[in-house]
Amino acid sequence: MIPLTSRQLAQVVDGTLVGDADRVVDGGVVTDSRLAGPGSLYVARRGENADGHDFVEGALAHGAVLTLAEREVPGDHVLVADTQEAFVRLARWMVDELPDLQVVAVTGSSGKTSTKDLLGQVLAEAGETIAPIESYNSEVGVPLTVCRLEPTTQYLVAEMGASGPGHIAYLTAVVPPRVGIVLNVGSAHIGGFGSQQGIADTKAAIVEDLPADGLAVLNADDPLVAAMAQRVRSGAVQTFSLDPERAAADESVTAWAEGLELDEAGRARFTVALRPAAGDPQAVERHAVHLRVRGAHMAANALAVLLAVRHVGVPVADAVAALGRAEAVSRWRMEVTDRPDGVMVINDGYNANPESMRAALTALGDMAHGRRTWAVLAGMLELGEASEARHRELGRAAAERGIDVVVVVGDTARPVADGVHDFTADTGQDGPEVVIATDSQEARTMLEERLRPGDVVLFKSSRDSGMRVLGDQVAGVVA
Ligand SMILES: Nc1ncnc2c1ncn2[C@@H]1O[C@H](COP(=O)(O)OP(=O)(O)O)[C@@H](O)[C@H]1O
Ligand SMILES: [Mg+2]
């Protein structure tokens, strides 16, 4: 972190210092008292379930030297009216301490974490980089990531998530990006927004206030994202597409994939084509790319990464090579386990929304290469009134992709079965076999009986619907 004294901290957050003015905070900033260590600053937040002020003694026991608090607490502390506000002021101060820092921020309904993991690995080969751990993308996760900055950091990757209006603008005020990436809009968390346009309005904040030398990286294949080009007030706009025909017809498409195919392990292989940032749009450069991470949607994420890192000075050839080395670092994202008995388990159960479900089903279909495919699906949450219709569409999508067996786990996902029947009724074709399971345990017992060598089985649901856990059990990575 960028060290500071208790006196400085009080100034930065406009708070009142209680205790020693010369305490040195150099051991990181934490909001979880259990993660405090020698020299830490403990930020006592009032959360939904717990009040951080109740855990100050624990933080001190772990070595914290100072607390940011809203009321008197044990040990040295800085008193403020609102610890969350003070926390983001501290984070912003750290950003401003590093005038040469290059910030690349990514938002979208699906693929933020996958993309920040690629960005983190590619940028780390070019210079000292801080990227979020796990999926730290909220009003807590973003400032926590920023507070990991070192005086020598060159690149910061920020994942920015939104579950309601204004959330992205809040985060860009904490850490203004030089490059803002929007992957897709989709319908994640539509519950909190009301409409897809509402989601788009919120996400557009990541590209609206870029510096004059900034760059908006937008998905040309998603109309609501492409339309954000109009809202970029300063800085340049570049776009990416998985559709070479779109790029042929539209010179404003900056990067695209040609000859995209998935190998037998589901890893995208393609030629990336890039127009120059300025100058003759016919001067296209091409590079062969073979990713290690899985799913065709990763090609889109990789294109976004290439545009972003090119803008901050990484040579394209270096970035392409680094992309080819980048591994999946976050768990449960198209995570493949080859069981000793020849069953391939794909665990994409970190989270789910209609778009990422479709992407995963497409990848499953592409990875089959003639093998029997299973999609074990449980509920997508936070869809509000649209829930039933979205699940039903998912059943149809699985059928369209030629999945052999669809296992529907739990009540929320139940309409998936109706969607499969919609497909057979409309097309007259045989759809997938549908198996209904009331819960994970029942699904597990059924799968243990029926899975055969050569089968490929995908697990996916929203986090709280638990398919990542069932996937781990079936893969044999947990009991
Ligand atoms: N560009 C993309 N479009 C659609 N789905 C994607 C994309 N990138 C990743 N996914 C899928 O979306 C799910 C969530 O991925 P993740 O990277 O964790 O996204 P987020 O951080 O936005 O929730 C995963 O199942 C992943 O396979
Ligand atoms: Mg994430």
Side-chain angles (χ1 to χ4, degrees):
M1 70 175 293
I2 299 173
L4 75 178
T5 63
S6 39
R7 185 200 317 267
Q8 270 179 306
L9 178 76
Q11 260 165 22
V12 167
V13 303
D14 203 8
T16 307
L17 178 64
V18 180
D20 185 347
D22 296 314
R23 287 284 196 179
V24 177
V25 178
D26 59 4
V29 179
V30 298
T31 54
D32 180 336
S33 59
R34 293 162 297 185
L35 300 180
S40 294
L41 169 70
Y42 173 57
V43 179
R45 293 182 72 257
R46 271 179 293 106
E48 270 168 43
N49 306 310
D51 182 351
H53 294 83
D54 297 338
F55 302 96
V56 174
E57 273 165 355
L60 297 177
H62 282 99
V65 288
L66 193 66
T67 300
L68 196 52
E70 293 171 9
R71 54 179 160 81
E72 294 286 335
V73 290
D76 293 349
H77 53 279
V78 171
L79 277 176
V80 290
D82 181 336
T83 45
Q84 172 63 28
E85 204 228 296
F87 182 26
V88 300
R89 277 174 75 164
L90 170 63
R92 179 60 193 252
W93 175 82
M94 294 209 186
V95 171
D96 292 340
E97 284 292 287
L98 303 181
D100 296 329
L101 182 72
Q102 307 259 20
V103 178
V104 179
V106 57
T107 193
S109 298
S110 305
K112 296 180 293 298
T113 297
S114 309
T115 303
K116 73 85 182 159
D117 284 341
L118 293 179
L119 279 168
Q121 292 175 79
V122 172
L123 289 171
E125 292 200 16
E128 227 182 290
T129 301
I130 296 285
I133 56 167
E134 294 168 10
S135 205
Y136 277 24
N137 66 21
S138 68
E139 77 280 13
V140 182
V142 171
L144 278 175
T145 302
V146 170
C147 288
R148 288 170 48 222
L149 284 171
E150 297 289 337
T152 48
T153 305
Q154 293 166 270
Y155 303 109
L156 177 77
V157 178
E159 174 176 339
M160 297 189 173
S163 52
H167 289 183
I168 300 296
Y170 182 92
L171 298 175
T172 59
V174 179
V175 52
R178 173 156 182 230
V179 180
I181 302 172
V182 187
L183 296 171
N184 40 53
V185 166
S187 46
H189 296 289
I190 203 159
F193 291 98
S195 70
Q196 279 209 317
Q197 188 58 50
I199 298 180
D201 291 343
T202 292
K203 292 193 158 84
I206 206 166
V207 293
E208 274 173 342
D209 288 307
L210 295 166
D213 66 352
L215 175 70
V217 175
L218 301 175
N219 183 353
D221 298 334
D222 183 321
L224 286 172
V225 177
M228 291 177 193
Q230 260 74 59
R231 306 170 63 151
V232 177
R233 287 194 273 262
S234 57
V237 175
Q238 295 178 6
T239 65
F240 60 95
S241 171
L242 289 184
D243 180 0
E245 283 173 26
R246 184 190 305 283
D250 179 356
E251 280 191 351
S252 76
V253 175
T254 323
W256 62 97
E258 294 176 350
L260 174 62
E261 57 176 26
L262 295 186
D263 69 14
E264 55 297 328
R267 297 175 292 221
R269 205 189 335 236
F270 57 101
T271 299
V272 56
L274 286 157
R275 290 197 168 101
D280 180 6
Q282 308 300 335
V284 176
E285 69 177 295
R286 288 185 167 77
H287 300 267
V289 182
H290 192 177
L291 300 178
R292 290 187 184 205
V293 290
R294 299 168 207 255
H297 51 275
M298 276 296 183
N301 300 342
L303 293 172
V305 168
L306 280 175
L307 291 177
V309 304
R310 179 174 75 169
H311 193 72
V312 298
V314 180
V316 172
D318 294 358
V320 166
L323 274 173
R325 287 187 284 268
E327 304 276 0
V329 297
S330 296
R331 285 213 60 202
W332 303 303
R333 286 158 181 90
M334 295 301 286
E335 187 177 312
V336 173
T337 310
D338 286 304
R339 288 201 329 197
D341 67 352
V343 170
M344 182 193 253
V345 174
I346 306 170
N347 191 333
D348 199 42
Y350 175 73
N351 219 338
N353 59 47
E355 291 72 33
S356 70
M357 276 284 196
R358 276 195 170 67
L361 289 169
T362 302
L364 175 63
D366 290 343
M367 288 165 76
H369 295 277
R371 294 173 289 184
R372 183 165 67 159
T373 47
W374 299 68
V376 185
L377 310 175
M380 301 179 282
L381 307 178
E382 298 188 68
L383 291 178
E385 283 176 5
S387 177
E388 182 176 348
R390 292 292 100 79
H391 284 89
R392 194 162 179 151
E393 287 159 14
L394 190 60
R396 179 188 286 274
E400 285 167 355
R401 285 159 181 76
I403 307 307
D404 295 302
V405 190
V406 174
V407 182
V408 180
V409 185
D411 286 341
T412 310
R414 206 49 183 269
V416 170
D418 303 319
V420 173
H421 298 136
D422 291 344
F423 172 86
T424 41
D426 292 355
T427 64
Q429 299 173 31
D430 287 341
E433 178 191 349
V434 177
V435 180
I436 307 239
T438 34
D439 56 21
S440 288
Q441 190 50 52
E442 197 179 307
R444 184 179 184 184
T445 309
M446 184 275 302
L447 288 166
E448 270 161 15
E449 274 167 24
R450 291 194 49 194
L451 287 176
R452 294 285 172 267
D455 286 358
V456 185
V457 50
L458 167 76
F459 292 86
K460 191 163 175 71
S461 68
S462 283
R463 189 176 177 81
D464 290 340
S465 302
M467 286 303 97
R468 70 188 192 293
V469 179
L470 180 61
D472 279 350
Q473 291 167 338
V474 172
V477 297
V478 299

